[in-house]
Amino acid sequence: MTETRNRPRHRRSRSALAVGIPLALTAAGTLAYGTDLGLFGEDAQQKASAATAAAPTWATATADGFASVNSLGQNGTYGGRDGQIVTVRTQADLEKYATAAEPYVIVVAGTINMNPVGKEIKVQSDKTIVGSGTSGHIVGGGFFLGSGVHNVIIRNLTIRDAYQGVWNDKDHDFDAVQMDGAHHVWIDHNDLRHMADGLIDVRKDSTNVTVSWNKLSNDNKAFGIGWTDNVVTDITVHHNWIRETEQRNPSTDNAAHAHLYNNFLEDVAGTDIKSSYGNYSRGKTKMVLENSYFQGINNPVIKDGTATLVQRGSVFSGTSGRNESGGTAFDPKAYYSYTLDAAANVPSLLKSGAGPRSSIGTTAAAASTKAAATTLTVAKDGSGQYTTVQAAVNAVPANNASRVVIAVKPGTYRELVKVPANKPHVTIQGTGASRKDTVIVYNNASGTPKPGGGTYGTGGSATVAVEADDFQARNLTINNDFDEKANQNLNGHQAVALRTAADKVFLDGVIVGGDQDTLLVDTASKDKLGRVYMTNSYVIGNVDFIFGRATAVIDKSVITLKKRWDGTSAGYVTAPSTPANRKGILIANTTVNGDVSDRSFFLGRNWHAGGDATLDPQTTVRNSTLSAAVKTTPWSDMGGFSWKDDRFAEYKNTGAGAGSASSDRPQLTDGQAGGQEVADWLGDWTPSAS
């Protein structure tokens, strides 16, 4: 974007601050990166046993199934999303945060051996306990959720080996997860095995529980539900791989609504463990069983005379004994939406997708969606279907109706990539362990000559250009490495790494790097809405490096300020060119820092593209950590237009670069801030991984 400053001035009589649309029904979490992360904080070794961690996708994910239903004063299950993120490696630290009254996202980053054996940590409400990749192991104990405990998420953990040498143990009640009277609990993507009693017990009127994408194995009792005379439990059990367990697979007693679908129950021939029964509906349970797969199970589906059980769509292979159904139950879709996978696909789906994930950005819903999507692979070494990203994009059929995932193996891909408007629902995803492993890079600038004549211009300089709606980029780096110092004679140094000109663009776990004009968030046309949501990511640059007319959110990320080509420190973080009556750029729960001089960067300036006085540029920076690099007067005029006539404000920022309210530093009131939440920017769109 050109640094114009000499156009005629236009002033408006209205207030510089515009109150946003009504308070959002659901606000995003208020977690921020610490200022000490640096550029690649995800790979830094933490020195303390409990320290602030970068916000993973897991930190803001919410449950599906009955755990998502609004009841008992709890609107869905989101765990510790609204609290601090801490990393733990010891039992003491795990207990400290799990038993605290405050919300926490607790990242388990190692093996914790429980002492004494059988210890069940008494988890309190509003907690997310999640393993870091596949390294989070709880050995010889588990978790207990008591009466009234609610809004708890347990994900991506291996909980194992409390076994005391007796298969049908009556003396040691050592479970992986036990709940007595809890509600709104989500148990997802765990590996639970070899405990002394059961793997999961949902007891004593516990309700609004979802158990999804777990591996349950090598145990006498897999999963018990009930143990109460009351009929109140609502539970969803989906996409679980239950193998080499004798009983309670699960056993469901007096559940008001039990919805079981897309589970894989497997009894492997030739082993010492023999299944007594599979899914069991008893008491006054109402059970709906759909599209599951039973392999070698004895008595795969049973019910007693007082329970109801509706079956449809399951596969039974090598099973024997009772397979029963009867009565009427309920319609799960009256409570929540869900999508069934074909029963025939369930074994392969769960063998590859159940249990802890190496990438903590993959949610249960995403795993199901990804499995059903078309996947195209890209690898420089020829081991994939394509050797360039653009070749894979070209292979996507025009006007495709469903998701296409372009899985890019680690490597540096020096190429230009364009996703045209007629190819929606595309995901470009790096498959490496880190977003640094997969890099798409090129070096065009605005003034770079085109082969056919003319120059590329700012928008045309983009390394990756996205014009298709419902686009996602995950776990990769997109750079523009144009060398300003070597091209001082070139007119036009704007060099875009990523340009979006579409609606519903989701950028998750990416790095977008450049110098001037790094990230262009545009729309297809001035009259069209274009929403962009970036999270768990990094944006790097120096001049106007987050700019455009889109409705864009930078959330839970790091904005890294970079010196200019000559070593000086000066620049602007944002340059919005927002149309009137639209939302502009929102930076929330984010850190702004970099190796630059103190008080050398503006948070933004008002870009009236083409001198258009009808535009109403907007940037809001809220609940973020600002380093000393930010100027004490953080907003600047541009092109003859006063920033005070447009919409620039802050709210509850912290750090050396934050400041108090003044005429040069507007702050939102609490009332105004209530209308400028992340959800207000996104409207009817809730980004989810695909």
Side-chain angles (χ1 to χ4, degrees), residues 47 55 62 157 159 184 298 496 511 550 576 642:
K47 296 181 180 179
T62 57
L157 291 167
I159 307 176
H184 288 89
N298 187 42
V496 176
I511 300 169
S642 171

Side-chain angles (χ1 to χ4, degrees), residues 250 259 335 423 523 534 628:
H259 184 204
Y335 298 89
K423 297 189 177 186
T523 65
M534 171 182 273

Side-chain angles (χ1 to χ4, degrees), residues 27-33 53-62 77-86 103-107 126-131 151 153 155 186 360-363 508 533 535-536 555-556:
T30 57
L31 302 171
Y33 284 80
T57 304
W58 294 93
T60 55
T62 57
T77 303
Y78 48 85
R81 181 188 68 187
D82 295 331
Q84 184 183 3
I85 300 175
V86 294
Y104 281 103
V105 173
I106 304 164
V107 182
D126 304 318
K127 302 294 184 295
T128 295
I129 306 174
V130 55
N151 191 30
I153 297 174
R155 305 186 79 186
W186 186 21
I360 60 176
T362 304
T363 66
D508 181 12
Y533 180 68
T535 188
N536 188 29
D555 187 25
K556 305 182 186 72

Side-chain angles (χ1 to χ4, degrees), residues 597-617:
S597 301
D598 289 357
R599 311 305 178 193
S600 59
F601 272 74
F602 291 96
L603 288 176
R605 56 179 178 171
N606 53 337
W607 180 32
H608 286 257
D612 188 347
T614 69
L615 298 178
D616 194 11

Side-chain angles (χ1 to χ4, degrees), residues 28-29 52 90 98 106 110 186 202 219 222 268 277 310 343 353 377 380 385 481 492 500 517 542 564 594 596 648:
T52 301
T90 67
I106 304 164
W186 186 21
V202 178
D219 213 87
V268 180
Y277 58 87
V310 173
T377 58
K380 287 179 65 66
Q385 295 167 279
D481 63 354
T500 68
D517 292 13
N542 48 41
R564 303 180 79 163
V596 295
F648 293 88

Side-chain angles (χ1 to χ4, degrees), residues 251-338:
S251 171
T252 309
D253 181 46
N254 282 343
H257 304 98
H259 184 204
L260 282 61
Y261 70 92
N262 284 147
N263 297 298
F264 178 31
L265 277 68
E266 182 183 25
D267 187 338
V268 180
T271 64
D272 293 335
I273 301 172
K274 182 64 178 175
S275 57
S276 297
Y277 58 87
N279 295 165
Y280 186 4
S281 179
R282 69 186 199 183
K284 296 181 180 179
T285 293
K286 291 185 177 181
M287 179 182 289
V288 175
L289 169 61
E290 300 180 283
N291 287 32
S292 289
Y293 197 107
F294 297 81
Q295 176 68 53
I297 300 293
N298 187 42
N299 301 314
V301 184
I302 60 177
K303 63 177 288 296
D304 65 17
T306 56
T308 61
L309 195 160
V310 173
Q311 277 202 58
R312 46 182 176 254
S314 294
V315 170
F316 299 88
S317 176
T319 60
S320 60
R322 296 164 62 184
N323 187 349
E324 301 168 340
S325 60
T328 59
F330 62 98
D331 179 9
K333 290 189 176 179
Y335 298 89
Y336 52 83
S337 61
Y338 65 100

